[in-house]
Amino acid sequence: MNRFFKPLYGLLLGGTLLGSYGCTNYLDEVNRSNFTQSSYFTSASQAQSAVDGLYASLRMFTADNGYGERPWVTLELINGHATTLGQSFFNSQFINQTADAANPPFRTIWQSSYNAVGSANLAIQRIPAISMDEALKKNLLGQAYFMRAFFYYHLVRLYGDVPLILDPIDASSTQLYPTRSPQADVYALIVNDLKQAEQAGLPVTDQTGRVSTGAVKSLLSSVYLTMAGYPLQKTENYALAAAKAKEVIDLNVYPLFTSYDYLHDNAHKNQGELILQAQYSSAIATNSISAQIIPYFARVSVYGDEYGSLIPTEGFYNTYESGDLRAQERQFYFTSYPSITDTTRTVQFGVHALYKYFHKESALNRNVNSDQNWTLLRMPEVMLTYAEASNEASGPTATAYAQINAIRSRAKLPALTGLTKDQFREAIWKERYHELAYENKAYFDTQRTRKVYDVRNNRMVDAIGFTNESGTTFTEKYLLWGLPQYEINNNRALTQNPGW
Amino acid sequence: MKNNYWKPGILSGAVGVSVAHIWAAWALAGTTLAGPRELPAGRTPSSTTTIGAPTLRTDSGPVERVAVTVTGQITDETGSGLPGASVVIKGTTNGTTTDANGSYSLSLPTGNETLVISYIGYLSQEIPAGGRSRIDVKLVSDSKALNEVVVVGYGTQKRSDLTGSVGSVKSAELLDRPAINIEQSLQGRIAGVNVAINSGRPGGNSNIRIRGYSSINATNNPLYVVDGIIWAAGIDALNPADIENIDVLKDASATAIYGTRGANGVILVTTKRGRKGGTISYDTYVSSATLARKRDVLNAREFLALEDQAYQNVAKFDPAGWAAGRYANRDPRIKRTALIGKLFDANLNPLYDVDWQNEITRNAISQNHNLSFTGGGDQTTFGLFLNYNDNQGIIRNTYLKRYTGRLVMDSQLKPWVKVGATLNYSNSDERRGDEGVGGNNIPRMMIEMIPIVPIRYPDGTYGKRQDYPDMESGDNPVALSNEDKRLYKKQVFGANAYADFTLMPGLNFRTTLGANLASQYNPFSETNLVQLTRPFRGYAEIWSYDTKFLQWQNYLTYNKQINANNSLNVVAGVELQKYTYLQWFSGVESLPDNYYEYYNLGVSGNPLPPSSSYNAYQMASYFARANYNYRDKILLTATGRFDGSSRFGENNKFAFFPSAAVAWRLSQEEFLKGSTVISDLKIRASYGLTGNSEINSYQSQANLSTNVSVIGGTRAPGTVIGTLANPNLRWEKTAQYDLGVSMSMLKGRIGIDADVYLKQTRDLLLSAPVPLSSGYASIYKNIGSMENRGLELSLNTVNIDNQTVSWSTNFNISFLRNRVTALGDANDDIFPNPYFLNNTNILRVGESVGSFYGLVRTGTWGSNEVDEATRYGRRPGDLKFQDLNNDGQINDQDRAITGKGIPTGYGTLSNTVRVKGFDLTLDLQYSYGNDILNLTHHSALDRTGQANSYGDVLNGWTPENQNTMIAQARPSYVYYDSKIDSYKVEDGSFLRGRNLVLGYTLPSELVQRWKLSRLRAYVSAQNFFVLTKYSGYDPEVSTYGDAFAQGIQFFDYPKSRVFTAGLNISL
């Protein structure tokens, strides 16, 4: 009978084997493509990679939200001095101020920012325990602190009170369903994080696209300036903003470019006056900024689509003083360009499109995706921050005049002189509009000053109730974005902003 | 007794198994438990006669000396000889079985006896010999025959013993219509099994749902098991002609033996095995396919006229811009004047008027060849099955070519051990043209390409849509079909080997090792002659995939006839599964020369980043099943499976899935036993729990993910947060209740099978949204529940049955109602993919899955509604939506459920008539209550001036035509309205003429002269009509692969009408 029972033994053996497998490691999961949180953060190179990953989130402004819809476009359209061509329904909702909280860019910025915050929180929590070179560790942590501050700074300005998450989240965290924290608390964290970054031993400047001490100080001056205005109105921060901006000026490492072309070519990325940019590189990360600003299917580039999603209003263009170099053809703007299909012919746009973002390297070359950088911080903003903040703190000073006049001088405009504090303030605000045009600064200026630019009468006026050149009246609702409808739906602990 | 347990005499003496059972089990041996032993013993099928086992010995042994010898041939309805049929003298155990040609020779004591002829799956016949020396008998198939053997997973059962709901299809039916894969073969065969063939692309794009939906984020696809081994490599690698039968397990009592993988039903495929003797068969067909239905689009004259009209309307939609001259340079006359000589003549009339649907489609000729060899002796049989299928698509240059080879061998090595193996190799080579939904998608471009541009200019260059200003990118479809090469090349190797040991009478041990290996690469190359949205021209990439699935099962089967009234069948075993998957990619842009295609990626100076990814899972399981039979009246089944999966959280690796079923055969009770009307009546009831583990691996872990930053102009790999861990992740469980009745009347002339079921899924695996402030978007959680209620009915009748004429009818209908009963902690709506402009569909408690969600379009604003329209920011001529919450604005708060993609009822009606050698089959398919979300309205109806449009735009709003659902024409640069709305929802109910076949089988006497045993020729037409209100190509459609995307359409590969001519030859 023996032979018949052998298979039985086999079965029993198999069963036993299976049983032991089941109990030990046969059912373990090993993900060979990715680490888990618990298996990571063991070496300097892993710390480096965790910090490098944060830079990818800076690309959120150019994220594709639909046909011609990008967060950087949205920010300009809300402010009222731009229109859009083409078919985008969501874009038109911002121009007309008829948007609702389900609008895609609201979610994009919220989601990208908090995703970066989540990764920064993990890096900040876990890098300190790694055994590695202490100077490098401090440097990496400094970059992580900067990033967390940068994203919270955008969140708090765009959405007001926001959840303040400072630790890694897991399924059991109470912070999985957080409430909104007061803006003052968020700003306190931002200032604190930037101070940490300032002390992290980062290089003064960096031409690879990393955060530098100059970038930290520049952002901090902007934070102080914002805190001094609406809604916190901590006016004592004007002096802090001025002081921090002055530190950047005194570094003397961000010379103004001698040609506006350098703002949108590849050779000058991260150079000169450019303090911090979101980085793009062909075949690694590309953007469509250049295709977005070409009038709808003008056929002056090789881009498959020319969206015309961000077109300045003629009313705004007309506010440039006569002789302003920036308003000359192919400086900040252009109205025509040779046809890509028939180079003997010039395409007339009929509008002033943004030459500032026209990326020749890719627009004219079949084989290059647009990889122009998106500028986050550049020197003229810091100079104007200094001028404005010091004016608020102590009235016009020679140093303040020097800042604004350096910008005007480059634009071939006469120097300003002899203005009252109020006149000087208004001159700086207008200069911000003209120099930093369509660089996503104007909407934040509207938020902190509650003023908008009345381009028909060339003056700054109260934002709320003002009807702009497109016929849209600015309402209080648009001082903040709506919290993304998705987020409201998924977290009952949240409240929505007024009007949304 | 020492080493010879398998003695037919002993076996038959002990348990009385019919020849038919033995034969059938033998034929099915690949998946079954090694022949006869697992057959539930001790019962005599009511419609067959039991014969003594010694008559099995057809090869040797003494033959009684008798007075009369009768010979003849037993054939099926088509005249093909049935090998192995039993011919028995009524009232005795004397008889014989037919040889490979279906011929027999039998000695009769007097010549006046009655012969009982039976064969598994056919209605038995009793023929008085009446002194004749030759008796040929044609058997009529009885697909629901009670003595049919059904594969039930780790074993087989007689249909009469089933307690669960199992539907079956046999090879003869599968061959009725040409099909390149099992999904196509299975369509409409079994009540409760909904096969939607959602595309006209060669090979399909099918979607199978058994008894509705049981999951939200895990799969709703059934489990395929081929010859006992889970088929993980894509079922289209199997040639339908190689299939002996398909059994579909529907209720939980049947599927519970598959535990965590059984919730969506199990499709058990049994492939053909070798047969004693020698047979060569050759089946072939040639078919011709053409576009079944065309869509009406604007011709050149209409396109230009509409553009003129739209341009004039700019003055209305942007009065300020118009007055300021902002649109002066967009005047169509200016655009056209600039193109005189290229696209227009001197009078601005178009030079070209291309019908792109005609230009890109063709009369596609396909062919199929099956060649099979089977043979063997008493101990060993083998089969070799070869197939070549060249399936050409109706869109130019698309095809699917497949070679398969299959080798099977089974051997009864010793009386106590049987071994066998199967090797299946498949090589498929496919070229598609319907990839994505953008400018490279030929089905889209054949509608949206403008008629005024030629295929090629006189200089040979392709016409492009952007040759005419204001058009969006996207190329002419003929150029795309020539210059875009999108290939899918796949090799699948499936193998299994088994050994089956008889340990003692009634006790068997079987071990099976199965492997399923797939190796696939998908190259894509595009020359620089077409323009993509991708600015890099001259592009090539290769995606490669390698998957391995291994399965090892060991189980014992025990059959015990306890006494005259009680018998027992028990199966118990263990199983291990392991799956690994590796994917890698390389691609380049800017190929220097079109010559290289994807064959030399290194020549490009612009390589794309390579990538690879891996995943794996393992499962370990224990299972057992017991069937108890009391006097053939009461049948009980109990099943349990204890399953462990690596995919679940540390705390929940294992789970137990039990089921139980009872059946009562009323026809065995005294009060029905004598009935001449009811030959069989059985009531079944079952309950069971099954699971679903088909989510991605690693979802219970806190994985990091990688991204790419740019530092210093170069790549800097980043590591960031990835998944929000859920260590408590556990099985999704589906409880199913089934109540069924199976009835056979008038000696099997009428067969009825009806089931009602309730399927409740809880612990739904859901990729549940979490607040984005966490840094994550979702977490895999077990939340939510849903239910499916259904009724399935199949009715088979043999309306006429005599030696010259037979007519049988098969009707089945399935009703399904799905309802989501709980979602998440707060029952919040969930919006599953696809997303198109906005959410397209919704999961909402109380509603069916697959519900469409959007605004309600009520028409267009009229000239007399200026004020009201203005309130909504609209003008007369704009689309009018219902303000459901009356808040004075139209937004996401005004959305409602507008339809559902899954049908209320569906089924098949088919009729087969045989007259002498002729056979005629008419097969109708129907579906009702299903809607279609026709997203093509967005680009081909809601907007104009960027691409060509449907002819329906000519019915747009004008001051004279205000009662319309279509907006006033305007160029898209002054805004248009396009929403996910009710007007895009169309009734998708349909009645389809699926198949019409006329065949003729040559008389066997004639073909035997040619040394053939069978020759049949046939012609058929598939999809020869469709009755539907739906406006698109075909109402059975789905563009997206998402779970609930059935019926959501955005430019599908159109269906064809197919005419086929074929031959079946056996020798």
Side-chain angles (χ1 to χ4, degrees), chain A residues 2-14:
Chain A
N2 222 4
R3 78 189 64 183
F4 301 113
F5 286 103
K6 269 182 192 162
L8 250 190
Y9 290 139
L11 180 69
L12 290 173
L13 187 68

Side-chain angles (χ1 to χ4, degrees), chain B residues 908-964:
Chain B
T908 289
L909 172 63
S910 84
N911 277 285
T912 300
V913 178
R914 297 179 201 278
V915 181
K916 296 195 170 158
F918 289 95
D919 57 274
L920 179 71
T921 298
L922 171 65
D923 175 6
L924 303 176
Q925 174 196 10
Y926 62 91
S927 174
Y928 75 93
N930 55 306
D931 298 307
I932 291 164
L933 180 58
N934 188 346
L935 299 173
T936 69
H937 283 187
H938 158 66
S939 55
L941 195 58
D942 285 346
R943 66 172 200 197
T944 58
Q946 268 177 241
N948 203 11
S949 304
Y950 289 140
D952 303 336
V953 294
L954 298 175
N955 184 34
W957 192 98
T958 62
E960 297 74 37
N961 180 35
Q962 301 204 5
N963 185 18
T964 174

